[in-house]
Amino acid sequence: MKTGKVIKVSGPLVVASGMEDANVYDVVEVSENKLIGEIIEMRGDKASIQVYEETTGIGVGDIVLSTGSPLSVELGPGLIEQMYDGIQRPLEVLKDKAGDFLRKGVEVKALDREKEWTFTPLVKVGDPVEAGDVLGTVPETVVVLHKIMVPNGIKGKVKEIKAEGDYHVDDVIAIIETEKGDKELTMIQKWPVRVGRPYKEKIDPNTPLITGQRVIDTFFPVTKGGTAAIPGPFGSGKTVVQHQLAKWADAQIVVYVGCGERGNEMTDVLMEFPELIDASTGQSIMKRTVLIANTSNMPVAAREASIYTGITISEYYRDMGYSVAMMADSTSRWAEALREMSGRLEEMPGDEGYPAYLASRIAQFYERAGRVVCNGNDGREGALTAIGAVSPPGGDISEPVSQSTLRIVKVFWKLDYDLSYKRHFPAINWIDSYSLYQAKMDKYFDEHISKEFSQNRIKAMSLLQEESALLEIVRLVGRDSLSEKDQLKLEITKSLREDFLQQNAFHDIDTFCSLEKQDKMMKAILKFYQEALKALDKGIYLSEIEKMPVRERITRAKNIPEDQLEKLDQLMDKIEEDMEELIKGGRQDA
């Protein structure tokens, strides 16, 4: 180990001299407490170190030891259902070892060395293998089959492979004969968090990530392997949207990173997730979830690491051929950690004090998402969807973090404080939000859900856009100045807003809505609009149309269970019948 001495301490930044043999991004141990840190700058023999733990008590002259390797995570069976801190220390194990409060210098392994896993080999002696090939499988949970893969950089023949049985993660399960000699492989891989994991090729993401949230799936869809951002001011519902996506998105693996947010939000996740049952598997959603917590009262420097830890674990499961969704809540707190460290390094500040390299760091993070052909000979495909919340001060998305994010991501779900103030949730503004995957997703929905899906979506969005112009007129001269057809538009857009876009995350049925149900709900609202227009042309007054009992059934359609969707087909027939009766009655009166 290379040794240096502390010459300066400034919060989480420690400067050490005598480090001429060390490299940028090397992990170091600071002082006799062995606090974990990472070299972020080298000037001659002086190393600037960001320490991932509380630095009180460190003084000039304390020893600094360089490990010679970058900040890395352990990848292997046992990640699922765990809750880690920003540098992959399991918090449950830390609690058992040090109590309810983090103690400095406590060292624990990321993966449990005592637990045994049932390994089933898939190769035999003599088989040629290369990086990414699957050596065997381990049932990590009842819903996740963990694939033990050949690590990057290894190619050769299987010299020895263990028979089916129970092994620890650090037991040798295979020996590979390579040109450089025999390599012993365990179930653990180590990977530097700042380096993206390799793959054969990146391919076009063309399958939607179904979230069960109507405003997202219908109007602003994201693909498996896509990127999305959720900017919004304090109190507009970012965290609840992230929780909903983590709960209901049809990803096989979910990695949720709480980066710099309040501790009670992570508590909500820990309390709710184990109790929630995944409809597709019938198991708790924790059986497919990894949690990483670096809350606002935890060391600020570890916030930056937590994002990279999360994306590296996500890439690892993508390499197995899984569809992975990563939630980062929020990237603004990560950027604030960058700003703090940049200020302590006395770097030249960019916009609003953020470092000049902010945009490139955000881009590097989101570029690691995508749908790929994985390494290995079986041609498997995996997808990693990255969804980041952004917390701009005062909801001003002209600030640097929001703008840098918007240049990279393809889906923009803008949360609106005015909507949240009116208790309209999710508070996603349907005028300002967009999805650049829309054309591809329209084609998919038309083929797999309904031929009219995209056509109905365009009609509904057109009505919502017209509503904003009509409301301006109403504010100036009153609703009575509008024609009956325009007044009808306002009634229909109110139904679209309140009965379709609005969704109750805490309602047993309404919390999740399948694409089939979304299609039928939208059809019912637009069917009522078409039939009402016919009635107006036949001389029926709008006031009579507004009083129709069937409108109440449209309002309650969101509470129809998924296994009773035929009721929505009956509702459309009922709309047509009732409107015909109203027109007939109107003619007789005439």
Side-chain angles (χ1 to χ4, degrees):
M1 279 191 171
K2 306 165 185 77
T3 308
K5 287 192 175 180
V6 173
I7 59 173
K8 175 186 173 184
V9 181
S10 173
L13 178 72
V14 170
V15 180
S17 62
M19 304 288 290
E20 60 273 4
D21 293 331
N23 298 305
V24 173
Y25 295 137
D26 277 1
V27 171
V28 298
E29 294 175 351
V30 180
S31 81
E32 61 184 19
N33 286 329
K34 294 188 176 181
L35 305 186
I36 299 170
E38 182 182 27
I39 297 174
I40 54 175
E41 184 183 70
M42 292 292 301
R43 291 185 185 179
D45 73 331
K46 293 184 178 65
S48 297
I49 302 159
Q50 64 176 356
V51 180
Y52 293 127
E53 300 186 63
E54 185 58 51
T55 56
T56 52
I58 295 176
V60 172
D62 281 354
I63 296 294
V64 175
L65 297 174
S66 172
T67 62
S69 59
L71 183 67
S72 302
V73 289
E74 288 187 348
L75 303 169
L79 292 168
I80 302 291
E81 293 188 272
Q82 276 288 2
M83 184 177 192
Y84 293 106
D85 71 355
I87 50 175
Q88 211 203 6
R89 295 183 300 180
L91 292 177
E92 197 65 40
V93 180
L94 277 179
K95 180 189 172 187
D96 294 341
K97 192 168 183 178
D100 289 341
F101 296 93
L102 284 174
R103 264 207 335 254
K104 290 191 287 187
V106 179
E107 189 178 346
V108 291
K109 299 289 187 184
L111 296 176
D112 188 348
R113 299 301 197 267
E114 303 299 320
K115 185 170 181 178
E116 290 190 332
W117 300 92
T118 303
F119 173 75
T120 303
L122 294 180
V123 295
K124 55 186 184 296
V125 173
D127 285 353
V129 292
E130 60 181 51
D133 282 343
V134 180
L135 295 171
T137 59
V138 167
E140 186 170 6
T141 69
V142 290
V143 297
V144 177
L145 187 66
H146 195 109
K147 295 170 185 173
I148 307 299
M149 300 171 288
V150 177
N152 193 44
I154 294 179
K155 184 177 181 180
K157 284 186 178 179
V158 178
K159 185 176 181 181
E160 185 182 318
I161 184 79
K162 285 284 169 63
E164 183 171 351
D166 294 341
Y167 303 95
H168 299 104
V169 287
D170 53 354
D171 289 340
V172 174
I173 49 103
I175 298 175
I176 308 299
E177 187 181 328
T178 72
E179 292 177 356
K180 297 179 181 178
D182 291 353
K183 298 281 186 184
E184 293 185 341
L185 301 184
T186 67
M187 296 189 207
I188 301 175
Q189 290 189 27
K190 279 206 164 187
W191 192 263
V193 296
R194 297 180 190 279
V195 179
R197 286 178 62 83
Y199 47 81
K200 283 190 175 174
E201 64 172 310
K202 194 171 265 193
I203 51 180
D204 186 36
N206 56 13
T207 308
L209 181 75
I210 308 303
T211 67
Q213 312 307 300
R214 289 185 289 270
V215 64
I216 292 174
D217 292 343
T218 299
F219 291 106
F220 311 109
V222 65
T223 58
K224 289 180 178 176
T227 52
I230 317 174
F234 173 77
S236 57
K238 289 184 297 298
T239 299
V240 174
V241 171
Q242 290 266 43
H243 286 192
Q244 285 295 95
L245 297 177
K247 289 174 192 173
W248 304 116
D250 67 336
Q252 292 161 299
I253 307 289
V254 171
V255 179
Y256 187 95
V257 183
C259 174
E261 290 300 308
R262 293 169 293 282
N264 60 345
E265 292 175 357
M266 289 308 295
T267 305
D268 287 345
V269 172
L270 280 175
M271 299 295 282
E272 285 180 27
F273 278 31
E275 295 176 5
L276 288 167
I277 301 302
D278 183 357
S280 58
T281 63
Q283 298 290 329
S284 162
I285 62 172
M286 278 303 291
K287 298 291 182 186
R288 61 178 176 94
T289 303
V290 183
L291 299 176
I292 296 167
N294 190 256
T295 51
S296 52
N297 62 332
M298 293 169 80
V300 67
R303 284 185 202 171
E304 193 208 5
S306 64
I307 292 284
Y308 292 115
T309 298
I311 197 85
T312 305
I313 291 172
S314 301
E315 286 177 323
Y316 176 63
Y317 280 100
R318 177 179 67 181
D319 291 347
M320 297 180 201
Y322 289 123
S323 167
V324 185
M326 178 189 166
M327 317 294 163
D329 186 15
S330 82
T331 54
S332 292
R333 306 286 171 257
W334 170 56
E336 285 169 10
L338 282 178
R339 178 166 64 182
E340 180 169 333
M341 294 310 300
S342 175
R344 291 180 186 278
L345 284 168
E346 299 175 11
E347 294 174 338
M348 185 68 74
D351 287 350
E352 295 189 20
Y354 289 103
Y357 47 78
L358 173 70
S360 64
R361 290 284 176 88
I362 290 174
Q364 284 167 9
F365 165 66
Y366 281 107
E367 286 297 336
R368 289 172 72 171
R371 180 169 164 245
V372 303
V373 177
C374 307
N375 281 344
N377 290 316
D378 57 1
R380 64 185 181 275
E381 293 179 6
L384 166 51
T385 309
I387 301 169
V390 185
S391 309
D396 176 18
I397 63 166
S398 65
E399 56 89 41
V401 181
S402 300
Q403 288 302 306
S404 300
T405 303
L406 289 181
R407 281 197 289 270
I408 300 300
V409 300
K410 297 266 186 94
V411 180
F412 173 52
W413 297 318
K414 185 189 174 187
L415 295 179
D416 192 319
Y417 183 76
D418 289 340
L419 285 174
S420 64
Y421 185 75
K422 294 172 185 172
R423 297 291 181 265
H424 176 111
F425 294 106
I428 294 173
N429 186 303
W430 50 87
I431 303 297
D432 297 338
S433 301
Y434 62 81
S435 170
L436 298 182
Y437 301 116
Q438 192 72 69
K440 271 187 281 192
M441 294 302 95
D442 279 350
K443 186 179 176 186
Y444 179 93
F445 293 147
D446 287 351
E447 286 177 8
H448 294 86
I449 306 301
S450 162
K451 290 179 183 177
E452 304 93 29
F453 193 97
S454 63
Q455 193 179 347
N456 288 337
R457 179 195 64 77
I458 291 166
K459 281 180 193 171
M461 182 54 77
S462 176
L463 285 167
L464 289 165
Q465 287 170 340
E466 284 180 55
E467 180 197 33
S468 57
L470 290 172
L471 287 175
E472 287 297 318
I473 297 170
V474 170
R475 286 190 196 100
L476 289 171
V477 290
R479 181 184 167 115
D480 292 341
S481 62
L482 298 177
S483 67
E484 287 211 321
K485 285 189 177 180
D486 282 344
Q487 288 184 46
L488 175 63
K489 273 183 192 171
L490 289 180
E491 283 300 312
I492 296 303
T493 51
K494 182 185 177 187
S495 181
L496 281 170
R497 283 189 286 106
E498 295 181 0
D499 306 333
F500 189 83
L501 296 178
Q502 207 168 333
Q503 197 165 346
N504 188 348
F506 302 100
H507 189 280
D508 289 344
I509 295 172
D510 198 33
T511 185
F512 175 86
C513 187
S514 66
L515 280 174
E516 290 78 8
K517 185 176 175 182
Q518 293 179 39
D519 175 53
K520 290 176 186 293
M521 284 176 66
M522 190 162 57
K523 273 182 181 171
I525 295 169
L526 294 176
K527 177 79 171 174
F528 184 82
Y529 178 55
Q530 290 161 2
E531 296 298 324
L533 281 176
K534 289 179 191 173
L536 286 177
D537 288 338
K538 301 286 186 183
I540 304 299
Y541 291 118
L542 178 62
S543 56
E544 294 178 64
I545 295 170
E546 289 175 347
K547 290 176 194 170
M548 291 179 69
V550 76
R551 289 197 66 210
E552 180 69 20
R553 289 183 63 179
I554 294 172
T555 301
R556 296 185 182 279
K558 61 172 73 175
N559 297 330
I560 293 173
E562 293 288 339
D563 57 355
Q564 298 176 22
L565 295 187
E566 67 279 358
K567 288 184 179 179
L568 284 165
D569 296 321
Q570 295 165 10
L571 174 59
M572 280 182 271
D573 294 337
K574 180 70 173 165
I575 289 168
E576 197 167 348
E577 289 169 17
D578 287 6
M579 204 65 77
E580 281 178 10
E581 280 184 29
L582 183 66
I583 292 169
K584 280 179 187 173
R587 282 178 182 155
Q588 287 167 6
D589 292 343

